[in-house]
Amino acid sequence: MSDIKRVVLAYSGGLDTSVILKWLQDEYQAEVITFTADLGQGEELEPARAKALKAGIKPENIFIDDLREEFVRDFVFPMFRANTIYEGEYLLGTSIARPLIAKRQIEITNLRDAEAVCHGATGKGNDQVRFELGYYGLRPDIKVIAPWREWDLLSREKLLAYAEKNGIAVEMKHKQGGAPYSMDANLLHISYEGRHLENPSNEAEEAMWRWTVSPEAAPDQAEYLDLEFEKGDLVSINGTPMAAHELLAKLNELGGKHGIGRLDLVENRYVGMKSRGCYETPGGTILLKAHRAIESITLDREVAHLKDDLMPRYASLIYNGYWWAPERKALQTLIDNTQQTVNGWVRLKLYKGNVIVVSRDSKTDSLFDMNIATFDDDGGAYNQADAGGFIKLNALRMRIASRLKK
Amino acid sequence: MSDIKRVVLAYSGGLDTSVILKWLQDEYQAEVITFTADLGQGEELEPARAKALKAGIKPENIFIDDLREEFVRDFVFPMFRANTIYEGEYLLGTSIARPLIAKRQIEITNLRDAEAVCHGATGKGNDQVRFELGYYGLRPDIKVIAPWREWDLLSREKLLAYAEKNGIAVEMKHKQGGAPYSMDANLLHISYEGRHLENPSNEAEEAMWRWTVSPEAAPDQAEYLDLEFEKGDLVSINGTPMAAHELLAKLNELGGKHGIGRLDLVENRYVGMKSRGCYETPGGTILLKAHRAIESITLDREVAHLKDDLMPRYASLIYNGYWWAPERKALQTLIDNTQQTVNGWVRLKLYKGNVIVVSRDSKTDSLFDMNIATFDDDGGAYNQADAGGFIKLNALRMRIASRLKK
Amino acid sequence: MSDIKRVVLAYSGGLDTSVILKWLQDEYQAEVITFTADLGQGEELEPARAKALKAGIKPENIFIDDLREEFVRDFVFPMFRANTIYEGEYLLGTSIARPLIAKRQIEITNLRDAEAVCHGATGKGNDQVRFELGYYGLRPDIKVIAPWREWDLLSREKLLAYAEKNGIAVEMKHKQGGAPYSMDANLLHISYEGRHLENPSNEAEEAMWRWTVSPEAAPDQAEYLDLEFEKGDLVSINGTPMAAHELLAKLNELGGKHGIGRLDLVENRYVGMKSRGCYETPGGTILLKAHRAIESITLDREVAHLKDDLMPRYASLIYNGYWWAPERKALQTLIDNTQQTVNGWVRLKLYKGNVIVVSRDSKTDSLFDMNIATFDDDGGAYNQADAGGFIKLNALRMRIASRLKK
Amino acid sequence: MSDIKRVVLAYSGGLDTSVILKWLQDEYQAEVITFTADLGQGEELEPARAKALKAGIKPENIFIDDLREEFVRDFVFPMFRANTIYEGEYLLGTSIARPLIAKRQIEITNLRDAEAVCHGATGKGNDQVRFELGYYGLRPDIKVIAPWREWDLLSREKLLAYAEKNGIAVEMKHKQGGAPYSMDANLLHISYEGRHLENPSNEAEEAMWRWTVSPEAAPDQAEYLDLEFEKGDLVSINGTPMAAHELLAKLNELGGKHGIGRLDLVENRYVGMKSRGCYETPGGTILLKAHRAIESITLDREVAHLKDDLMPRYASLIYNGYWWAPERKALQTLIDNTQQTVNGWVRLKLYKGNVIVVSRDSKTDSLFDMNIATFDDDGGAYNQADAGGFIKLNALRMRIASRLKK
């Protein structure tokens, strides 16, 4: 293993990646470069720096990067242009963050002349796939270290023992049985897996949820919200333009307040098993509903249906970790092409878990033609007799077949 | 037009079809057979008989049929097996009723030796297409009379004048400007179109909704609900087995009480225009959520994804009126084949517009394997090292391409 | 009909469009502008000018345009980037020409301030749809005159009588029973329909085919051919770069000589009926085979599969006349995006109806990696053990399901 | 490794599987059961028995099964119902045989109470995946031994040394450098890979092909052929009904004689690399062409298009080894459902590599309606005016969008 001299570790500063850091130093005798990303997960990142320094990492080998704007602008928003949902329910909050982390990690290998990367994802989940497909797609000769697939610290007890033996600070919660859930958070969502959730016939505990109040605890007063879109992307809330990550943060705040965006799901992992996850995606839930609404008046029918037909495939690509694959990029060109006309505003009502579209319009791109749609006299804008021929020819093949049967 | 001797009219007893009845008698000199279906729209049907008799229809030419069980069992439930949604939102409440009406209408043409059928749908909407594709598909030589595409009574004033001239009773509401909305109801939903809704930037009025209370007005106490499925179909609620149409009626009652299932939508009609509709589908909204949940633990991943990929196409077929077309039937065989294992129960929580899945299980068909899914020690049920090879080979094509670029 | 002052007629100079010209002058009292396109159909076009002048058309109202390069470069080649085939067999030779004719015809309405366009396609075929969808898509207020759907000259006899009465020159063949087939030709193909072909159980006559010799009559000596591609488009033949339309003409010559590209097909028209057509597409048949071959070494697997999945839909769009529709354009962006790496050469062997790929390579973009593909020792380029994990995880969902069954 | 007592080996009697047999006895100390299938590969199978006996296999542990009829009837024909082609060219001759071998091998593990199966496929190819997905799907607890992924005999030299050391007879060709190609044969095809073919810019040698003459060497006289289909399956040739495997053998003989069915391809393997293969599929090439032709007059347009849209996915499933997966089965129900009406005959002409459809008809299920299709007077069977309305409504969305742009 002596051929790896420098390794870039995706480092949160938590117990697991702290143990990994030490293990890399010991096992690989490698110089470790730590990379900690701010994706809006809502944690202080400076403690990670302190811990890294304490673990002997050189200051120039500690990367703490604020990726929030890039995350929302170049990953979350493009994904929402497709109204992306995995398996009918999941908004892909974890999946969409992994390609950015992988990208930055590879950039750092180039900056610091490292041969390897390392992540703390387990061998059972999707994240290892998402990270590593990103690594390999962006730097084909990269060496990947996935400790959970390599080491013998597979039980929590062994991990704690290793930490204590090596002087790694262990928070009280870990000593008391560990976090009740495996969690992941970023500006799009927070997820919960494991422990009490592992039996899908157990109801999730109210105390688990962190970002949203329950619908019951949400305000009794509904709140209206105006969202404006340009080329399919949200650009302002209630008339106030903001940076992409600020917009999503604002939607999270509003959604969280109104009990919006909780999800309890059994999903199919790429590695072949079913797993149960709970998710809070307050801002994303609002955004999806609004995006569909603005598309409903600005997008051509067949274009909308083409998008709907391709969406599950696009969602699976992201879920499975193929963001950097050429087929995802090809689909993205199609999706982005369709969003040129997706301009206008949507009015929503938020109330106790509900996101209700109440109106929508586009000054420049509305394809809704009141003259044609009206049930009242349309002054000849639409000739009802045309429908007769339309139906006759659409029915022709069925009539020929039906005649044959008799 | 003397070649049409007998015509079967889809007859509600309302103003429009009453005028049509008279117009058929005058214009076509035809014997009119009236057909009124009980699809659970919640209206008394006997008044239709009285009106038909009064209009001179012979008793043996008056058909009033209770189709509720057939409707839910053979149309609604098969559609829900596919988790069918049109354009991301619409549960197809109107679309799914039309094929059954068309079928029964054609059956009656055969029973009564009629050459023609007639419906009261306008030349601008989807319903004319759905009716007529059904007619032609089931009886290729049928003659179709679509008065709204033929006559000159295109304005409400002319219609009223014709009614009064011909002694057709006109309800007060029609004299006072007509119903505020164009509505359609059956056990699956009630829809609203036209008038105040024709401007998609207008918010719908609270007074419009008939089947559901607003989330605000719904009980402050959540209600739990246990639904049991067999082969993808709902079979009991809270442990009580019921006929299909009773189950849906019960879900409607529960959903309506809790403010569930309202939708405000701009949709794309098959005839080429966008239109704005509001829908209440309380039971269907609950059913869709529960069906997805029971599938989540009983359906194979790739089967589920195949269904998701095909669903928008299947939804368009139903929306556009192709229920009786061979491609819909071919898709149905696939969908039905997948539902053999969709057996189990789902627990839901209903609260102020929210349908929340809280747990699900299947005694016989759960593919959720706790031993494999667990983040804790799995005793070797899953070998984490396998994931390394899995990722390597999935990444291979990307690595080769990436190497080439450099 | 006096509101149409000027109409642009798609005019070939043949009998049908000559009668139409006169009929427009009489029936619509309109000034007729004739438009004749050179799409490489292999006919002299100047006679059309003489006939138009003789029919009283002003010189400035006669448009004879050489559209060959635009046709191949902007229509044929983009379509071949998708390996487009309709219903498994048909290379869309007629379909792909119609959008260009429609586009130019609309341009001329703008140049000459005309309100209407007119074409000579019948009311039974696809071409009327293709023309008119193009017209409406490019100029929504255009008035369309489709004589075959309007006039009473539906039989050949009436047409001839009209021609003679109005002094329109009628070629001998028409007097002797008319052309044996309805034909359409351009640089991509020539098609035959009608008459002897109307019974699909009749074999086509050898004498019908015009562009290709029969395989039997083709040379006994095979001919090798080197084709070079850039970004998915053919750019040179046997090392000689040519303009797009010259390349296709050259392939037609070679294919015709070797008996390549005949097709005898029953196809499904958009208007609802089946029809039998025979087609000669010598150059296109060669091009399709070569394009697939160059893609086979330069295109990523998943991108290739995505294209294959979408191809039938794209083909139907073109067949049905939706070239100018936004969904076709959206698909085109995807297709074009995939062709960036489709660079290299293909060696073919032409022999008596066969197009045989014998070799292919790309200096810049080959994804074929001999080191990895070899069955001999690969020096560790590929780790066979990886396949074990790959298979295990891909099999996992099937194993869990299979275990449940037992 | 002592936990494996009995292992069922897919055994051809050739060098590789003979070495594997010995290696299993030595390495695993296991009782070996040999399984040799007759899939119509055209080799004597009794020598395999003799070799197995000589290697010490007990007579009751030697299985030599004639699977030809099952292969064609239950695997090849169902696949051809879908007009299945992988990557636009490949008829899946190898892929479709693997699931049957896996099935029988698992059956034998049950008959002989074995815990493990073993195959001789390499770790680089698709066949290992196809075998093992079959094994796991049919018996989830099966142990799989894949020697090529385990042992150290990775070079030909080591393999030969092992054989000689262990008294395994080695044919002269192996000593002289080995077979020039890696081949696989069954009733559907013979394939060639490796060696001279590993460079895709090399032309394949004429001497390589075994089943077909070259088009040049084929008879100068064309041969006509009548094929009859029932429910999508071939049932007779030139009026003679035969068993499924006899039909395919007959087509192979005819195709081989006329130089039909050679293919030279670069394909994408499931394990992530491109590989170059040459294939001879004489009968299959004829069958595919004929099946499409009989479908062309008996299948509804939208059903045909649905099949075309799904075919590439179905082909990939088979290519990748998912025959026994539930999504393949679900697709099969759809495909089989569509074939009820695929009854009739097709007349073909075979000539020097060409398969030419010359006519087709169905007494019972032809949807071709000459009265409607004719360009001559149809006596009102089709009302051309209907096309106007059909086009107008199909164009409506494009007109609205186009108007907006101006």
Side-chain angles (χ1 to χ4, degrees), chain A residues 86-87 122-130 182 192-194 198 266-277 279 319-320, chain B residues 301-302 305 368-369 372-375 382 390, chain C residues 393-394 396-397:
Chain A
Y86 181 67
E87 299 190 339
T122 82
K124 283 192 167 181
N126 296 302
D127 284 336
Q128 57 176 340
V129 191
R130 296 167 186 151
S182 168
Y192 310 88
E193 290 186 301
E198 281 185 0
V266 175
E267 73 198 51
N268 291 291
R269 286 199 194 140
Y270 190 30
V271 292
M273 73 195 66
K274 289 186 181 291
S275 75
R276 196 257 196 104
Y279 302 98
Y319 184 86
N320 292 346
Chain B
R301 180 187 69 199
E302 294 303 309
H305 291 192
F368 188 95
D369 186 322
I372 288 177
T374 184
F375 283 121
Y382 175 99
F390 178 76
Chain C
L393 294 205
N394 280 317
L396 184 53
R397 63 186 172 93

Side-chain angles (χ1 to χ4, degrees), chain B residues 37-41 65-81 91-101 103 184-189 211 244-245 248 252 318 323:
Chain B
D38 184 358
L39 294 164
Q41 61 267 52
D65 298 327
D66 180 352
L67 303 178
R68 290 175 302 159
E69 182 62 11
E70 185 178 1
F71 176 51
V72 179
R73 185 191 62 216
D74 296 346
F75 294 79
V76 174
F77 278 9
M79 180 173 78
F80 273 79
R81 288 175 207 147
L91 294 178
L92 295 169
T94 300
S95 324
I96 192 62
R98 299 324 192 188
L100 172 54
I101 293 172
K103 167 174 168 273
D184 177 66
N186 59 48
L187 262 170
L188 184 52
H189 91 344
W211 281 17
H245 78 278
L248 186 49
N252 280 334
I318 294 176
W323 181 265

Side-chain angles (χ1 to χ4, degrees), chain A residues 10-231:
Chain A
Y11 178 69
S12 71
L15 174 63
D16 289 17
T17 53
S18 295
V19 168
I20 289 172
L21 196 167
K22 177 67 182 157
W23 180 83
L24 285 172
Q25 290 169 326
D26 290 353
E27 204 71 21
Y28 283 85
Q29 300 285 326
E31 183 178 349
V32 177
I33 297 124
T34 63
F35 160 54
T36 310
D38 184 358
L39 293 165
Q41 60 268 53
E43 276 170 16
E44 283 296 314
L45 302 186
E46 284 308 314
R49 186 188 308 275
K51 289 182 187 176
L53 286 168
K54 184 161 171 259
I57 309 303
K58 299 183 210 159
E60 66 269 30
N61 278 349
I62 300 176
F63 287 77
I64 297 185
D65 298 327
D66 180 353
L67 303 179
R68 291 175 301 159
E69 182 63 10
E70 186 178 2
F71 175 50
V72 180
R73 185 191 62 216
D74 296 346
F75 294 79
V76 175
F77 277 8
M79 180 173 79
F80 273 78
R81 288 176 206 146
N83 304 315
T84 315
I85 319 176
Y86 181 67
E87 299 190 339
E89 305 272 5
Y90 174 39
L91 295 178
L92 296 169
T94 300
S95 325
I96 192 62
R98 300 322 193 189
L100 171 54
I101 293 172
K103 167 173 167 274
R104 184 64 187 144
Q105 215 170 337
I106 292 298
E107 284 168 0
I108 294 171
T109 66
N110 293 327
L111 288 173
R112 303 295 299 138
D113 200 21
E115 307 89 1
V117 286
C118 178
H119 64 75
T122 82
K124 283 192 167 181
N126 296 302
D127 284 336
Q128 57 176 340
V129 191
R130 296 167 186 151
F131 281 128
E132 297 178 30
L133 290 179
Y135 300 151
Y136 289 129
L138 295 166
R139 188 174 154 182
D141 66 335
I142 195 71
K143 289 190 180 103
V144 174
I145 303 172
W148 288 100
R149 300 202 306 258
E150 298 183 21
W151 68 19
D152 58 355
L153 306 177
L154 281 171
S155 74
R156 191 105 319 235
E157 292 68 33
K158 289 186 188 164
L159 200 75
L160 286 171
Y162 186 97
E164 291 197 14
K165 201 182 91 185
N166 288 282
I168 296 167
V170 176
E171 288 175 79
M172 194 53 67
K173 68 175 180 193
H174 292 299
K175 293 185 187 156
Q176 291 166 343
Y181 304 103
S182 168
M183 288 185 284
D184 177 67
N186 60 47
L187 261 171
L188 184 52
H189 90 346
I190 181 166
S191 68
Y192 310 88
E193 290 186 301
R195 299 293 175 93
H196 303 291
L197 295 175
E198 281 185 0
N199 184 341
S201 66
N202 288 347
E203 183 170 352
E205 302 161 311
E206 180 55 36
M208 176 187 75
W209 308 97
R210 302 202 165 192
W211 281 17
T212 60
V213 299
S214 71
E216 285 91 336
D220 289 327
Q221 198 62 38
E223 180 166 1
Y224 282 81
L225 197 61
D226 287 313
L227 301 186
E228 191 164 358
F229 288 86
E230 283 179 15
K231 298 194 177 180

Side-chain angles (χ1 to χ4, degrees), chain D residues 216-266:
Chain D
E216 285 92 337
D220 289 329
Q221 199 62 38
E223 182 167 359
Y224 282 81
L225 198 60
D226 286 314
L227 302 185
E228 191 164 356
F229 288 86
E230 283 179 15
K231 299 195 177 178
D233 290 345
L234 182 63
V235 293
S236 82
I237 298 177
N238 290 331
T240 308
M242 287 179 252
H245 78 279
E246 294 170 327
L247 288 164
L248 186 50
K250 180 69 183 169
L251 289 186
N252 280 335
E253 179 201 320
L254 289 163
K257 170 182 164 193
H258 288 286
I260 287 163
R262 291 184 176 185
L263 176 65
D264 179 335
L265 186 69
V266 175

Side-chain angles (χ1 to χ4, degrees), chain C residues 372-384:
Chain C
I372 287 177
T374 184
F375 284 119
D376 295 329
D377 196 325
D378 64 8
Y382 176 99
N383 180 0
Q384 300 210 19

